[in-house]
């Protein structure tokens, strides 16, 4: 008896144990699945919210608001944080014709120079091109507009978005309509031998801290950075010079023997093998010395309010996505307007009127199959039928009609289920009062099924908003605001796809993707609360 | 005295098939106006089916076939020229389970008049009030006329359904076990209501509850397996059954 009892209890323990194990496996799997989904979503959201970009520049992060007593002024509307000396030089030598590559805005560039006959003009010329005694040659570009005086130059800048001028710093102090842009102009110049190729290898990009370590004399040989096997020779700028003062103020320490004067400093840099020393961009240019390139990552906010409210420009490279959001809304409104009435009518027919037989079963199988067909097929059909045969062209109408075809099966099936679930008692109650079948359907059955029907429509719209394949060849890809039904336009999902596919910007693609995710979430939550409110009204 | 009352519905040789199954056999029955007729019998005996033939609700079920004649006010309701909508307006129906529409109390009652073309707000107000008074519900719902009918109790919902039928101003009211889903207090209220309604309407009630049939009805018909076994005044049927099967059922030997 006793042994039997213990055998039974052993069996019992074993089954409890295996149950616990099964439970653990199921739990672990479900937690794992949720973790994967959550990490994908948070990855997209994180990439969308924060950018992390590679930068590559010769200039040290030392910003001067009045470099050499001058100020770089732009119109107050211009959205600029800082400028480096090479860019500034390029602006006055016809390197740029607009601001797109400088700060992403699409204003025309208008460089303004004060006439060099005045002393202010001469100072600006010397600041940009070097004084004649130092070997500077004025190379003013053709775009440059000459102003008679500093006052006139500032007037031009304050009245023209896109204008830029170099004027004495004190002239800008209490000036409305213009703003000063800080300049970065310090590089770590090196002897030309340092950047030469050695056995197919060249000195690599440094990080900012590595650059500082070189200047502080902490690096023995250039070989440490893949360069030639030459010892690093540190040179220091002449004490009391502008450069020396700026470096001290900015907390940069410099190793090496200070030079006697600037000319001697520059000469030493170009003549000493393995030499390295901080230098202003202008002097570096005049001496034709190479500088070390620094690269790394910049991070900041990716999805900003500006991105949401600005119109896209240059294929979405600059600007925002406001027009694309609006186009998406137009597209969804049109799609729902086309698809919902037709889909609900078809469902009503199938539930209420059609003879429940073989034909209806085939019809149902057909709609279910259509719901599972890849959307690119709908895109092909839409392209042939709406765009070519009906000659609607690429545009909102063709796109919405294609989406309508794509989501109709979903709407029909869900509406059908919703209508079927309306109780027989309600129908009979209405019919017994002498209502006709049509009145019963319109006044009792459809209102009772509305929450279910709406759920179906929302699900279908969720599918439509994320669609790209069906839209690329039907709705077109113009990123301007749609001007009408036949106007080619781009929706959010297509924009994400094109930003990726055309290699325009991953950051922007992720920012757009985040907006898309939020749009879908907003849709779902409104639908849910709508349905919940409806149900509450019904039962209270 | 009861023989004086005119006949409203006259059923002759009524047969009904669900597909191949015969559910009613040669039913012959005359319903008197302004009275309550109870249809009793065990489950599946055909009494509900019979009730539903009187306003052609069986039309909604696939495979139902009917022979014989049902005359309402002298006209054959199964004749091709009969307007079913008109018939159902005259012969209203209250179902076993309260089935208010998912809308407000007011809209529930105004539903019938509205589908029959009454749009005038003041007329509708009047109809709603009158129907609620007749269904003895006005006092309980007057503060929540525009709230959902689904918030009412089961008994109130059933009286709302009765009011909804009365709003169409029918002549006959068919009731298919109207109290079977209700508690005793609600049942008592509806039975009192029936006494009152009888003065204006012809009522045919299907019930499982023998006591109820005894309490409220003037005449009673006993159905068994599709046959009308006995039809007489309620008193006679209960105290003087002529058929043995009736007696067995009444005395509780089966059913």
């Amino acid at each position: 008896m006793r042994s039997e009892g213990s055998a039974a209890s052993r069996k019992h323990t074993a089954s409890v144990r295996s149950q616990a194990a099964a439970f653990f496996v199921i739990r672990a799997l479900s937690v794992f699945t949720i973790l994967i989904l959550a990490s994908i979503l948070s990855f997209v959201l994180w990439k969308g919210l924060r950018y992390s970009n590679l930068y590559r520049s010769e200039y040290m992060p030392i910003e001067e608001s009045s470099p050499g007593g001058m100020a770089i002024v732009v119109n107050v509307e211009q959205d600029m944080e800082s400028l480096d000396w090479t860019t500034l030089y390029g602006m006055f030598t016809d390197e740029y014709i607009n601001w797109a590559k400088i700060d992403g805005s699409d204003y025309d560039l208008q460089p303004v120079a004060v006439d060099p006959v005045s002393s202010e003009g001469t100072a600006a010329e010397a600041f940009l091109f070097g004084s004649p005694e130092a070997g500077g040659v004025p190379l003013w570009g053709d775009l440059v507009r000459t102003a008679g005086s500093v006052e006139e130059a500032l007037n031009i800048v304050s009245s023209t978005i896109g204008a830029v001028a170099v004027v004495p710093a004190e002239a800008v102090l209490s000036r409305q309509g213009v703003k000063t842009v800080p300049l970065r102009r310090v590089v770590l110049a090196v002897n030309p031998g340092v950047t030469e190729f050695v056995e197919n290898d060249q000195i690599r990009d440094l990080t900012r801290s590595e650059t500082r370590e070189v200047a502080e004399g902490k690096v023995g040989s250039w070989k440490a950075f893949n360069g030639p096997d030459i010892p690093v020779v540190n040179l220091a700028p002449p004490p009391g010079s502008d450069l020396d003062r700026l470096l001290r103020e900015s907390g940069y320490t410099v190793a090496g023997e200070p030079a006697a004067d600037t000319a001697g400093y520059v000469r030493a840099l170009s003549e000493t093998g393995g030499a390295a020393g901080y230098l202003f961009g202008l002097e570096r240019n005049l001496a034709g010395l190479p500088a070390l390139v620094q690269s790394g990552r910049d991070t900041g906010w990716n999805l900003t309010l500006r991105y949401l409210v600005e119109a896209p420009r240059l294929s979405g490279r600059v600007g925002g996505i406001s027009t694309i959001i609006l186009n998406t809304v137009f597209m969804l409104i049109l799609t729902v307007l086309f698809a919902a009435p037709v889909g609900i009518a078809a469902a009503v027919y199938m539930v209420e009127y059609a003879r429940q037989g073989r034909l209806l079963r085939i019809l149902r199988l057909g709609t279910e199959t259509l719901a599972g067909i890849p959307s690119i097929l709908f895109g092909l059909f839409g392209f042939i039928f709406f765009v070519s045969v009906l000659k609607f062209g690429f545009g909102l109408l063709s796109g919405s009609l294609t989406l309508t075809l794509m989501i109709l099966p979903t709407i029909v099936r869900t509406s059908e289920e919703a209508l079927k679930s309306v109780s027989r008692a309600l129908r009979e109650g209405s019919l017994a009062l002498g209502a006709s079948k049509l009145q019963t359907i319109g006044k009792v059955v459809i209102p009772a099924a509305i929450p279910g029907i709406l759920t179906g429509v929302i699900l279908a719209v969720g599918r439509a908003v994320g669609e790209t394949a069906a839209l690329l060849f039907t709705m077109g890809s113009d990123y301007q605001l749609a001007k009408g039904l036949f106007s080619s336009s781009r929706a959010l999902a297509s924009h994400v796809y094109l930003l990726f596919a055309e290699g325009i910007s991953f950051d922007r693609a992720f920012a757009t993707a985040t907006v898309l995710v939020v749009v879908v979430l907003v849709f779902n939550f409104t639908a849910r609360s709508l349905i919940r409110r409806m149900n509450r009204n019904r039962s209270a | 005295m009861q023989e004086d009352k005119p006949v409203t519905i006259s059923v002759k040789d009524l047969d009904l098939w669900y597909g191949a199954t015969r559910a009613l056999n040669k039913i012959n029955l005359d319903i008197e106006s302004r009275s309550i007729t109870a249809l009793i019998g065990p489950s599946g005996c055909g009494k509900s089916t019979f009730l539903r033939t009187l306003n052609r609700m069986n039309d909604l079920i696939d495979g139902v076939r009917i022979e014989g004649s049902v005359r309402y006010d002298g006209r054959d309701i199964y004749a091709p020229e009969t307007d079913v909508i008109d018939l159902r307006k005259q012969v209203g129906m209250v179902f076993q389970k309260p089935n208010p529409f998912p809308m407000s109390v007011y809209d529930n009652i105004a539903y019938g008049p509205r589908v029959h073309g009454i749009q005038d707000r003041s007329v509708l107000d009047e109809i709603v009030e009158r129907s609620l008074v007749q269904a003895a519900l006005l006092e309980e719902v007057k503060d929540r006329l525009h709230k959902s009918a689904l918030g009412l109790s089961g008994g109130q919902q059933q009286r709302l359904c009765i009011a909804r039928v009365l709003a169409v101003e029918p002549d006959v009211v068919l009731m298919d076990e109207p109290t079977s889903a209700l508690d005793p207090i609600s049942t008592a209220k509806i039975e009192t209501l029936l006494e009152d309604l009888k003065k204006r309407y012809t009522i045919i009630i299907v019930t499982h509850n023998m006591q109820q049939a005894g309490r409220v009805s003037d005449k009673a018909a006993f159905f068994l397996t599709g046959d009308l076994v006995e039809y007489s005044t309620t008193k006679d049927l209960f105290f003087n059954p002529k058929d043995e099967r009736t007696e067995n059922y009444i005395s509780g030997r089966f059913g």
Side-chain angles (χ1 to χ4, degrees), chain A residues 522-537:
Chain A
V522 167
F523 253 104
N524 282 356
F525 277 112
T526 30
R528 263 163 201 248
S529 60
L530 208 75
I531 289 161
R532 206 177 306 134
R533 193 182 306 164
M534 256 184 233
N535 283 339
R536 206 182 304 135
N537 283 352

PDB file of all heavy atoms in Angstrom, chain A residues 522-537:
ATOM      1  N   VAL A 522      -2.174  56.807 -33.487  1.00  0.00           N
ATOM      2  CA  VAL A 522      -3.270  57.757 -33.282  1.00  0.00           C
ATOM      3  C   VAL A 522      -4.559  57.206 -33.893  1.00  0.00           C
ATOM      4  O   VAL A 522      -5.624  57.231 -33.261  1.00  0.00           O
ATOM      5  CB  VAL A 522      -2.919  59.132 -33.892  1.00  0.00           C
ATOM      6  CG1 VAL A 522      -4.145  60.017 -33.981  1.00  0.00           C
ATOM      7  CG2 VAL A 522      -1.845  59.808 -33.069  1.00  0.00           C
ATOM      8  N   PHE A 523      -4.436  56.665 -35.111  1.00  0.00           N
ATOM      9  CA  PHE A 523      -5.594  56.072 -35.778  1.00  0.00           C
ATOM     10  C   PHE A 523      -6.225  54.998 -34.903  1.00  0.00           C
ATOM     11  O   PHE A 523      -7.428  54.995 -34.658  1.00  0.00           O
ATOM     12  CB  PHE A 523      -5.154  55.419 -37.092  1.00  0.00           C
ATOM     13  CG  PHE A 523      -5.571  56.187 -38.292  1.00  0.00           C
ATOM     14  CD1 PHE A 523      -4.659  56.946 -38.983  1.00  0.00           C
ATOM     15  CD2 PHE A 523      -6.886  56.166 -38.712  1.00  0.00           C
ATOM     16  CE1 PHE A 523      -5.030  57.668 -40.083  1.00  0.00           C
ATOM     17  CE2 PHE A 523      -7.273  56.886 -39.804  1.00  0.00           C
ATOM     18  CZ  PHE A 523      -6.346  57.643 -40.500  1.00  0.00           C
ATOM     19  N   ASN A 524      -5.380  54.079 -34.415  1.00  0.00           N
ATOM     20  CA  ASN A 524      -5.903  52.958 -33.643  1.00  0.00           C
ATOM     21  C   ASN A 524      -6.557  53.423 -32.361  1.00  0.00           C
ATOM     22  O   ASN A 524      -7.633  52.943 -31.992  1.00  0.00           O
ATOM     23  CB  ASN A 524      -4.777  51.977 -33.318  1.00  0.00           C
ATOM     24  CG  ASN A 524      -4.459  51.123 -34.525  1.00  0.00           C
ATOM     25  OD1 ASN A 524      -5.135  51.230 -35.543  1.00  0.00           O
ATOM     26  ND2 ASN A 524      -3.453  50.300 -34.413  1.00  0.00           N
ATOM     27  N   PHE A 525      -5.915  54.387 -31.687  1.00  0.00           N
ATOM     28  CA  PHE A 525      -6.472  54.818 -30.414  1.00  0.00           C
ATOM     29  C   PHE A 525      -7.792  55.557 -30.608  1.00  0.00           C
ATOM     30  O   PHE A 525      -8.740  55.338 -29.856  1.00  0.00           O
ATOM     31  CB  PHE A 525      -5.474  55.682 -29.644  1.00  0.00           C
ATOM     32  CG  PHE A 525      -4.486  54.860 -28.879  1.00  0.00           C
ATOM     33  CD1 PHE A 525      -3.155  54.837 -29.219  1.00  0.00           C
ATOM     34  CD2 PHE A 525      -4.919  54.071 -27.815  1.00  0.00           C
ATOM     35  CE1 PHE A 525      -2.251  54.058 -28.535  1.00  0.00           C
ATOM     36  CE2 PHE A 525      -4.022  53.284 -27.115  1.00  0.00           C
ATOM     37  CZ  PHE A 525      -2.680  53.279 -27.481  1.00  0.00           C
ATOM     38  N   THR A 526      -7.863  56.416 -31.649  1.00  0.00           N
ATOM     39  CA  THR A 526      -9.134  57.115 -31.874  1.00  0.00           C
ATOM     40  C   THR A 526     -10.226  56.107 -32.191  1.00  0.00           C
ATOM     41  O   THR A 526     -11.336  56.216 -31.677  1.00  0.00           O
ATOM     42  CB  THR A 526      -9.049  58.128 -33.032  1.00  0.00           C
ATOM     43  OG1 THR A 526      -8.110  57.670 -33.965  1.00  0.00           O
ATOM     44  CG2 THR A 526      -8.700  59.503 -32.560  1.00  0.00           C
ATOM     45  N   ALA A 527      -9.889  55.136 -33.019  1.00  0.00           N
ATOM     46  CA  ALA A 527     -10.896  54.135 -33.370  1.00  0.00           C
ATOM     47  C   ALA A 527     -11.379  53.412 -32.127  1.00  0.00           C
ATOM     48  O   ALA A 527     -12.577  53.256 -31.901  1.00  0.00           O
ATOM     49  CB  ALA A 527     -10.310  53.143 -34.362  1.00  0.00           C
ATOM     50  N   ARG A 528     -10.427  53.015 -31.296  1.00  0.00           N
ATOM     51  CA  ARG A 528     -10.797  52.288 -30.088  1.00  0.00           C
ATOM     52  C   ARG A 528     -11.687  53.114 -29.176  1.00  0.00           C
ATOM     53  O   ARG A 528     -12.709  52.648 -28.680  1.00  0.00           O
ATOM     54  CB  ARG A 528      -9.552  51.922 -29.299  1.00  0.00           C
ATOM     55  CG  ARG A 528      -9.070  50.525 -29.568  1.00  0.00           C
ATOM     56  CD  ARG A 528      -7.649  50.447 -29.080  1.00  0.00           C
ATOM     57  NE  ARG A 528      -6.958  49.352 -29.705  1.00  0.00           N
ATOM     58  CZ  ARG A 528      -6.567  48.290 -29.012  1.00  0.00           C
ATOM     59  NH1 ARG A 528      -6.814  48.207 -27.729  1.00  0.00           N
ATOM     60  NH2 ARG A 528      -5.931  47.326 -29.630  1.00  0.00           N
ATOM     61  N   SER A 529     -11.294  54.369 -28.971  1.00  0.00           N
ATOM     62  CA  SER A 529     -12.072  55.176 -28.038  1.00  0.00           C
ATOM     63  C   SER A 529     -13.447  55.463 -28.632  1.00  0.00           C
ATOM     64  O   SER A 529     -14.445  55.503 -27.909  1.00  0.00           O
ATOM     65  CB  SER A 529     -11.335  56.470 -27.696  1.00  0.00           C
ATOM     66  OG  SER A 529     -11.114  57.206 -28.857  1.00  0.00           O
ATOM     67  N   LEU A 530     -13.476  55.624 -29.971  1.00  0.00           N
ATOM     68  CA  LEU A 530     -14.763  55.838 -30.641  1.00  0.00           C
ATOM     69  C   LEU A 530     -15.686  54.655 -30.399  1.00  0.00           C
ATOM     70  O   LEU A 530     -16.853  54.803 -30.016  1.00  0.00           O
ATOM     71  CB  LEU A 530     -14.499  55.986 -32.136  1.00  0.00           C
ATOM     72  CG  LEU A 530     -15.475  56.819 -32.938  1.00  0.00           C
ATOM     73  CD1 LEU A 530     -15.231  58.284 -32.663  1.00  0.00           C
ATOM     74  CD2 LEU A 530     -15.285  56.542 -34.420  1.00  0.00           C
ATOM     75  N   ILE A 531     -15.136  53.467 -30.605  1.00  0.00           N
ATOM     76  CA  ILE A 531     -15.939  52.259 -30.460  1.00  0.00           C
ATOM     77  C   ILE A 531     -16.369  52.082 -29.008  1.00  0.00           C
ATOM     78  O   ILE A 531     -17.506  51.738 -28.717  1.00  0.00           O
ATOM     79  CB  ILE A 531     -15.143  51.043 -30.957  1.00  0.00           C
ATOM     80  CG1 ILE A 531     -15.021  51.119 -32.472  1.00  0.00           C
ATOM     81  CG2 ILE A 531     -15.814  49.755 -30.540  1.00  0.00           C
ATOM     82  CD1 ILE A 531     -13.927  50.276 -33.038  1.00  0.00           C
ATOM     83  N   ARG A 532     -15.409  52.382 -28.084  1.00  0.00           N
ATOM     84  CA  ARG A 532     -15.743  52.209 -26.681  1.00  0.00           C
ATOM     85  C   ARG A 532     -16.859  53.170 -26.280  1.00  0.00           C
ATOM     86  O   ARG A 532     -17.799  52.808 -25.590  1.00  0.00           O
ATOM     87  CB  ARG A 532     -14.503  52.440 -25.815  1.00  0.00           C
ATOM     88  CG  ARG A 532     -14.578  51.693 -24.509  1.00  0.00           C
ATOM     89  CD  ARG A 532     -13.305  51.874 -23.704  1.00  0.00           C
ATOM     90  NE  ARG A 532     -12.115  51.524 -24.454  1.00  0.00           N
ATOM     91  CZ  ARG A 532     -11.027  52.282 -24.489  1.00  0.00           C
ATOM     92  NH1 ARG A 532     -10.991  53.425 -23.831  1.00  0.00           N
ATOM     93  NH2 ARG A 532      -9.970  51.907 -25.174  1.00  0.00           N
ATOM     94  N   ARG A 533     -16.751  54.421 -26.786  1.00  0.00           N
ATOM     95  CA  ARG A 533     -17.786  55.395 -26.437  1.00  0.00           C
ATOM     96  C   ARG A 533     -19.139  54.951 -26.981  1.00  0.00           C
ATOM     97  O   ARG A 533     -20.151  55.044 -26.314  1.00  0.00           O
ATOM     98  CB  ARG A 533     -17.416  56.763 -26.996  1.00  0.00           C
ATOM     99  CG  ARG A 533     -18.272  57.842 -26.392  1.00  0.00           C
ATOM    100  CD  ARG A 533     -17.953  59.190 -26.952  1.00  0.00           C
ATOM    101  NE  ARG A 533     -16.538  59.516 -26.835  1.00  0.00           N
ATOM    102  CZ  ARG A 533     -15.964  60.491 -27.522  1.00  0.00           C
ATOM    103  NH1 ARG A 533     -16.667  61.193 -28.367  1.00  0.00           N
ATOM    104  NH2 ARG A 533     -14.696  60.750 -27.372  1.00  0.00           N
ATOM    105  N   MET A 534     -19.130  54.416 -28.217  1.00  0.00           N
ATOM    106  CA  MET A 534     -20.380  53.951 -28.813  1.00  0.00           C
ATOM    107  C   MET A 534     -20.992  52.839 -27.986  1.00  0.00           C
ATOM    108  O   MET A 534     -22.181  52.839 -27.706  1.00  0.00           O
ATOM    109  CB  MET A 534     -20.090  53.418 -30.207  1.00  0.00           C
ATOM    110  CG  MET A 534     -20.516  54.351 -31.289  1.00  0.00           C
ATOM    111  SD  MET A 534     -20.193  53.504 -32.802  1.00  0.00           S
ATOM    112  CE  MET A 534     -19.257  54.707 -33.614  1.00  0.00           C
ATOM    113  N   ASN A 535     -20.139  51.890 -27.576  1.00  0.00           N
ATOM    114  CA  ASN A 535     -20.649  50.770 -26.787  1.00  0.00           C
ATOM    115  C   ASN A 535     -21.206  51.255 -25.469  1.00  0.00           C
ATOM    116  O   ASN A 535     -22.198  50.732 -24.970  1.00  0.00           O
ATOM    117  CB  ASN A 535     -19.541  49.762 -26.539  1.00  0.00           C
ATOM    118  CG  ASN A 535     -19.303  48.924 -27.776  1.00  0.00           C
ATOM    119  OD1 ASN A 535     -20.177  48.837 -28.625  1.00  0.00           O
ATOM    120  ND2 ASN A 535     -18.122  48.336 -27.876  1.00  0.00           N
ATOM    121  N   ARG A 536     -20.530  52.279 -24.885  1.00  0.00           N
ATOM    122  CA  ARG A 536     -21.004  52.785 -23.606  1.00  0.00           C
ATOM    123  C   ARG A 536     -22.382  53.405 -23.780  1.00  0.00           C
ATOM    124  O   ARG A 536     -23.286  53.180 -23.002  1.00  0.00           O
ATOM    125  CB  ARG A 536     -20.002  53.808 -23.057  1.00  0.00           C
ATOM    126  CG  ARG A 536     -20.053  53.902 -21.557  1.00  0.00           C
ATOM    127  CD  ARG A 536     -19.107  54.952 -21.035  1.00  0.00           C
ATOM    128  NE  ARG A 536     -17.743  54.741 -21.463  1.00  0.00           N
ATOM    129  CZ  ARG A 536     -16.960  55.709 -21.923  1.00  0.00           C
ATOM    130  NH1 ARG A 536     -17.411  56.942 -22.013  1.00  0.00           N
ATOM    131  NH2 ARG A 536     -15.732  55.461 -22.277  1.00  0.00           N
ATOM    132  N   ASN A 537     -22.559  54.175 -24.871  1.00  0.00           N
ATOM    133  CA  ASN A 537     -23.857  54.805 -25.121  1.00  0.00           C
ATOM    134  C   ASN A 537     -24.952  53.772 -25.282  1.00  0.00           C
ATOM    135  O   ASN A 537     -26.097  53.994 -24.916  1.00  0.00           O
ATOM    136  CB  ASN A 537     -23.799  55.655 -26.383  1.00  0.00           C
ATOM    137  CG  ASN A 537     -23.083  56.951 -26.108  1.00  0.00           C
ATOM    138  OD1 ASN A 537     -22.778  57.240 -24.954  1.00  0.00           O
ATOM    139  ND2 ASN A 537     -22.815  57.707 -27.148  1.00  0.00           N
TER     140      ASN A 537
END
